[in-house]
Amino acid sequence: AAPPAPHSSSLALCDLPDEVMVHMLQFVDADTLLSACPLVCRRWAHLAREPTVWRAKCREVWPERVGPSENCAAIHDHADMLVVDLLKPKYNNCYRHLYYGHHRLRYQFLYVSRKRYIRPGATEFSYSQPVHAVVFYRYLRFFSCGAVHFYTGQSSGKQFLAWSRQAAANGHRTNAPVKSGRRDKAASGPKEVEASGPPSATDMAGAPHAAAAIPSAFLVGSWTCYDTLEPVVSIRARQPPKYLLDLVLRLEDHHGRPTACALSYSSVPESDPSFANMCHFDVTKISRFECVRPPAKMM
């Protein structure tokens, strides 16, 4: 006869009470809660939609706006006022809809703006006049610590992420620009060459670039988000040699995808940061920043 199975005092995951399961699910990332947990069983699908779980997720994004209390009596607390105002008219008192519906910065995403314009060329001893299509990109990557990486040029998103990882490893500080006999391609501005198209997650999934000196066009700055019904992000970065770059974005949705629209773009001397010496740029030259999610290993 087969020996009896040894007695085990351990509990299975399905034996845990609902209160413990809800507390555990608060530490699961939002994408897993939405896509994977409902596929386990009906109980998990029900627990993954609990308001307590999604309230904790909203608190991770807006810690100053969502209070830790779950009591309805605390609805008049100052921390909960804006969230309640948003929940009542717009999101039907659902924290899950608030988390995915309200505009916020996406730290796992890369904000990419593709700009293309036409410039006339010139040739000698010819009756025809060439036309050059110039394409370049602007990249933004936000960090939860308040840092932001900004780059304008024709380098790929994969190369930008390599520089971003290097700068983040250095405490969000850039090293000296590349010193060589040729001009730095990133610092010299867009060249008159047609680019291959906007970067995608598939294009950025290849082998990472080797560590190289971060170009001078790669800027590290700080961001501040003003949490309103239409969240506005203010970015300030130091542009060598002695200028401060200010960029103001409005977070919004474009055809159901998170985007950022430029409101103002200006530069001011670092020695005299007054509005009298501010130089404003044409916002239409920035275009809209689209969100692209690179593979996790690239971030």
Side-chain angles (χ1 to χ4, degrees):
H7 177 71
S8 176
S9 59
S10 61
L11 292 176
L13 192 61
C14 59
D15 297 332
L16 296 176
D18 290 349
E19 294 79 6
V20 178
M21 290 290 298
V22 167
H23 181 74
M24 293 172 57
L25 290 176
Q26 295 180 18
F27 301 94
V28 179
D29 63 278
D31 293 339
T32 304
L33 282 173
L34 193 66
S35 59
C37 290
L39 301 180
V40 177
C41 61
R42 291 184 179 180
R43 184 192 177 201
W44 278 51
H46 174 72
L47 294 178
R49 300 171 66 94
E50 279 290 320
T52 305
V53 177
W54 290 101
R55 181 188 179 91
K57 293 302 170 187
C58 291
R59 182 168 172 78
E60 294 177 2
V61 180
W62 304 287
E64 73 284 356
R65 295 297 185 182
V66 182
S69 175
E70 301 175 9
N71 188 4
C72 295
I75 207 72
H76 299 291
D77 293 349
H78 176 71
D80 285 21
M81 290 305 295
L82 179 62
V83 172
V84 172
D85 293 340
L86 289 173
L87 284 173
K88 283 185 177 180
K90 193 173 182 180
Y91 298 107
N92 196 22
N93 295 321
C94 180
Y95 282 101
R96 179 168 56 90
H97 293 166
L98 170 66
Y99 183 86
Y100 278 101
H102 192 49
H103 311 304
R104 70 183 193 278
L105 287 177
R106 314 291 176 128
Y107 304 126
Q108 298 85 10
F109 284 73
L110 190 64
Y111 289 81
V112 184
S113 173
R114 180 180 184 269
K115 191 62 182 178
R116 180 179 184 271
Y117 64 93
I118 304 296
R119 59 177 299 182
T123 57
E124 296 181 357
F125 309 108
S126 176
Y127 293 101
S128 62
Q129 183 178 6
V131 176
H132 302 285
V134 182
V135 180
F136 64 97
Y137 303 96
R138 285 186 174 93
Y139 299 99
L140 278 172
R141 182 186 178 187
F142 294 93
F143 294 84
S144 58
C145 63
V148 59
H149 296 170
F150 180 55
Y151 170 77
T152 302
Q154 286 190 312
S155 296
S156 63
K158 182 167 56 177
Q159 180 64 72
F160 170 78
L161 288 176
W163 293 331
S164 181
R165 290 195 306 269
Q166 186 177 349
N170 294 335
H172 298 288
R173 293 189 301 269
T174 58
N175 53 357
V178 179
K179 296 181 179 180
S180 61
R182 59 178 178 84
R183 295 182 62 188
D184 182 11
K185 181 177 72 172
S188 60
K191 303 293 183 60
E192 298 177 3
V193 179
E194 174 69 32
S196 58
S200 61
T202 306
D203 299 332
M204 291 186 280
H209 286 249
I214 301 177
S216 59
F218 185 95
L219 307 180
V220 175
S222 59
W223 62 268
T224 303
C225 184
Y226 303 98
D227 195 358
T228 59
L229 292 176
E230 294 288 341
V232 175
V233 180
S234 177
I235 302 172
R236 168 159 285 195
R238 184 179 181 275
Q239 186 178 22
K242 49 183 178 181
Y243 287 92
L244 293 176
L245 195 66
D246 284 323
L247 177 61
V248 180
L249 304 172
R250 182 179 65 242
L251 304 182
E252 56 185 24
D253 285 340
H254 185 65
H255 298 299
R257 298 184 58 182
T259 60
C261 182
L263 297 180
S264 67
Y265 185 37
S266 59
S267 178
V268 62
E270 189 175 9
S271 58
D272 185 17
S274 62
F275 290 98
N277 298 322
M278 183 175 293
C279 177
H280 293 274
F281 302 100
D282 189 3
V283 179
T284 58
K285 294 183 178 180
I286 300 181
S287 186
R288 186 186 303 271
F289 286 89
E290 303 286 346
C291 273
V292 178
R293 185 165 194 173
K297 64 180 180 180
M298 298 295 297
M299 301 294 284

